[in-house]
Amino acid sequence: MQHWKQALSAARCGETKYKRLVHAIVADIEQGRLGDGQRLPPQRQIASALGISMQTVTNAYKELERQGLVRCEVGRGSFVSRRTSERVATSMLDSEGELLDFSSARIVHTLEHDRLWQETCLELAGEAEQPWMRAFRPIAGFERHREVAVGWLAHLGLAVESRDLLLTNGASHGIFLALASLAGPDDVVLCAGLSDHGVIGASQVLGFTLRGLEMDGDGIDPEHFEDLCANERITALVCTPNLNNPTSCVMPDARRREIAGIARQYGVHVIEDDVYGPLLAGQQKARPISHYLPELSFYCTSMTKSVLSGLRLGYLAMPKRLALRTESILRVNSWMATPLLGEIATRWIEGGQAEALVQLQRQLLANRQAMVEQELGEHLLRNHVYSLNAWLRVPDYWEADMLQRELRQRQIALTLPDPFMPPGAPRPRAMRLCVGAECSEAQMRQGLQAVREVFEQYPHIHQDF
């Protein structure tokens, strides 16, 4: 801690001590002097050694936690924690190289996707009038685009008016806008005990406290949800009732009604991520939670996980009283969604291409999930016939990190549970396998067989780290 003391003594006029301490600790983390998972000294010990107040140390730890560099666990202490974006980068590949990439949740891409995309691009290029390339208003999206989106959402089980709808640059953008409309540093937001990494990252950017809820086979535990609502001031719940990422569980209708009832009783907003909803549309009777709680719900879906990966166009339905606020945040955040993608999505919905690609995707996913069950059935914790993921149990004789490294040596990538864990959540003995890898069915089966072979082998006695 001696160089922390030197950093404090070098503070410039007007620079607070807690910020100097933050900079010193960040430098140690970035330069590797403090490793991921390492426990930081107790706050009282730091205050005594550096000759500063406890409040100064507390403020520094809070800022480090806000930045996602430290996680504070009650009764255990404070630990170095890589930012969510950094954990994601090491768990999900940005580029494939020669690896068989089972780490990225994406649809199965086919020549049919390429054909429809190319035909649409040629059609657009030949038109004299192209307002989607010149316009920068309205912020919420073209009225025609929103009116067609209303019909798409009705197909997903949600009735909404176009004036309560925004076009966004994908579902992640929509969820971020909803969170920014509701939550700040003094708020507590709940999510599933295993949740999409985008929500965890948003908590670090917006500064709210994120808490994970207990889960069972049907999703969020309503008793735990109600207990927290009854005893704390909860601002919002973020949830994915359809094909939760990473577990693939689908919340039954009765559970959705129960969650909606608890949220209404305690005035808690619900942010519903239904990015996978189109894959289930018409396949089940459960309506979105937002259908039962329109006055408190944000509902978001998009084209990326069902129609075309690069069609990053989302739809965000908002509570009426928050529509203007959310639109103003969109204006500041990105001005508006890309109108060109809005035009393509609109044409594909109207022309039936969107639904045709969804149906094609269901067939492809069903085929690949059947392979997963055949090859990895005994290691399978949960999957779904139309899910992009399978949730695999790590055998007792393996550690997940070591198992991931062994698979990488065989040119296969799976995802560790870490990116999906809210602060303080227990680490499950599981890994996510995504079935949308760009490969043939024969390569897919060979890859799954290789995964099974590694899972069923005992690890090296001496592992070279």
Side-chain angles (χ1 to χ4, degrees):
M1 281 188 283
Q2 184 60 33
H3 59 293
W4 293 359
K5 192 169 186 178
Q6 294 172 355
L8 290 176
S9 65
R12 296 185 296 271
C13 180
E15 191 173 18
T16 58
K17 290 182 178 180
Y18 94 87
K19 286 189 176 180
R20 290 298 302 178
L21 180 56
V22 167
H23 293 328
I25 296 176
V26 168
D28 279 0
I29 293 173
E30 291 178 344
Q31 294 171 23
R33 288 192 289 267
L34 290 172
D36 187 34
Q38 184 172 339
R39 189 175 187 272
L40 293 175
Q43 295 184 29
R44 192 173 301 280
Q45 179 182 338
I46 293 179
S48 175
L50 302 183
I52 56 178
S53 69
M54 271 286 292
Q55 188 60 52
T56 297
V57 182
T58 299
N59 290 341
Y61 274 41
K62 285 183 177 178
E63 176 60 18
L64 290 165
E65 186 175 26
R66 189 194 70 79
Q67 293 182 25
L69 292 169
V70 165
R71 69 177 187 276
C72 299
E73 300 180 12
V74 177
R76 295 192 63 225
S78 301
F79 301 84
V80 175
S81 175
R82 288 177 296 165
R83 290 185 177 93
T84 297
S85 59
E86 295 167 349
R87 295 200 303 272
V88 170
T90 58
S91 296
M92 304 175 209
L93 304 179
D94 288 330
S95 60
E96 296 174 24
E98 298 179 358
L99 284 164
L100 184 54
D101 183 12
F102 292 143
S103 73
S104 301
R106 59 186 174 190
I107 63 171
V108 183
H109 192 85
T110 69
L111 293 176
E112 180 65 8
H113 291 87
D114 291 337
R115 183 186 69 80
L116 288 175
W117 173 253
Q118 290 163 4
E119 288 180 356
T120 303
C121 288
L122 286 172
E123 178 185 327
L124 291 168
E127 297 184 9
E129 294 295 323
Q130 299 192 5
W132 50 86
M133 293 305 295
R134 299 193 306 271
F136 59 95
R137 284 190 177 88
I139 303 300
F142 288 7
E143 185 58 31
R144 172 172 160 266
H145 294 174
R146 289 196 288 164
E147 288 173 354
V148 171
V150 166
W152 184 254
L153 266 59
H155 178 59
L156 301 181
L158 185 70
V160 64
E161 297 180 21
S162 63
R163 64 174 179 268
D164 300 324
L165 191 67
L166 293 181
L167 268 64
T168 66
N169 291 312
S172 296
H173 185 211
I175 300 300
F176 185 88
L177 292 174
L179 285 165
S181 301
L182 295 171
D186 296 327
D187 293 293
V188 177
V189 174
L190 304 179
C191 66
L194 289 166
S195 188
D196 186 85
H197 54 85
V199 176
I200 301 171
S203 71
Q204 297 168 3
V205 174
L206 297 172
F208 59 80
T209 298
L210 186 66
R211 304 261 310 266
L213 291 169
E214 295 172 3
M215 301 176 67
D216 58 22
D218 290 333
I220 291 169
D221 179 2
E223 289 187 9
H224 192 203
F225 178 42
E226 185 167 20
D227 180 60
L228 289 180
C229 290
N231 291 285
E232 300 184 34
R233 186 178 67 82
I234 306 299
T235 298
L237 165 70
V238 185
C239 60
T240 309
N242 286 326
L243 301 174
N244 167 269
N245 182 22
T247 65
S248 295
C249 67
V250 177
M251 190 181 291
D253 188 66
R255 176 72 59 89
R256 300 178 192 222
R257 292 172 183 264
E258 189 173 5
I259 294 292
I262 295 168
R264 177 176 288 114
Q265 179 182 352
Y266 293 98
V268 174
H269 286 85
V270 171
I271 301 173
E272 186 170 8
D273 181 356
D274 200 25
V275 68
Y276 304 105
L279 295 171
L280 297 182
Q283 307 297 311
Q284 60 168 16
K285 297 180 180 179
R287 286 182 173 269
I289 293 175
S290 302
H291 170 77
Y292 303 114
L293 192 71
E295 74 278 12
L296 287 173
S297 290
F298 287 85
Y299 173 91
C300 190
T301 188
S302 84
M303 298 283 170
T304 58
K305 303 298 187 185
S306 56
V307 178
L308 182 66
S309 297
L311 191 56
R312 298 203 61 80
L313 193 283
Y315 303 121
L316 177 65
M318 309 160 287
K320 290 185 182 297
R321 65 185 182 84
L322 289 172
L324 290 177
R325 173 176 172 79
T326 309
E327 182 179 336
S328 70
I329 294 174
L330 170 62
R331 182 192 302 264
V332 172
N333 178 265
S334 63
W335 191 260
M336 66 186 302
T338 306
L340 174 60
L341 296 185
E343 178 67 18
I344 294 171
T346 298
R347 293 189 183 203
W348 281 11
I349 292 172
E350 290 180 321
Q353 294 96 326
E355 180 57 29
L357 288 175
V358 169
Q359 291 185 21
L360 172 62
Q361 197 59 215
R362 290 183 190 133
Q363 178 185 342
L364 295 168
L365 290 172
N367 292 341
R368 292 198 171 193
Q369 289 289 0
M371 275 195 275
V372 170
E373 292 177 3
Q374 292 166 8
E375 302 295 343
L376 295 169
E378 61 189 282
H379 303 291
L380 197 58
L381 283 170
R382 181 174 291 273
N383 72 333
H384 187 282
V385 64
Y386 298 133
S387 176
L388 275 61
N389 310 323
W391 194 226
L392 303 179
R393 179 187 295 106
V394 173
D396 292 340
Y397 42 84
W398 276 105
E399 290 299 325
D401 304 80
M402 189 184 297
L403 183 57
Q404 184 194 50
R405 285 194 294 272
E406 182 65 27
L407 288 167
R408 287 285 179 94
Q409 290 180 7
R410 300 185 183 217
Q411 301 298 300
I412 296 172
L414 270 66
T415 309
L416 294 171
D418 304 65
F420 313 107
M421 295 163 48
R427 193 188 201 212
R429 293 187 54 80
M431 299 178 75
R432 187 188 72 173
L433 182 148
C434 300
V435 301
E438 290 199 18
C439 61
S440 66
E441 289 200 1
Q443 290 171 323
M444 177 84 182
R445 188 174 294 279
Q446 289 175 358
L448 294 175
Q449 290 171 348
V451 171
R452 183 186 66 204
E453 180 183 331
V454 173
F455 269 53
E456 292 176 353
Q457 286 185 0
Y458 279 76
H460 301 291
I461 295 176
H462 300 291
Q463 183 72 15
D464 182 12
F465 291 97

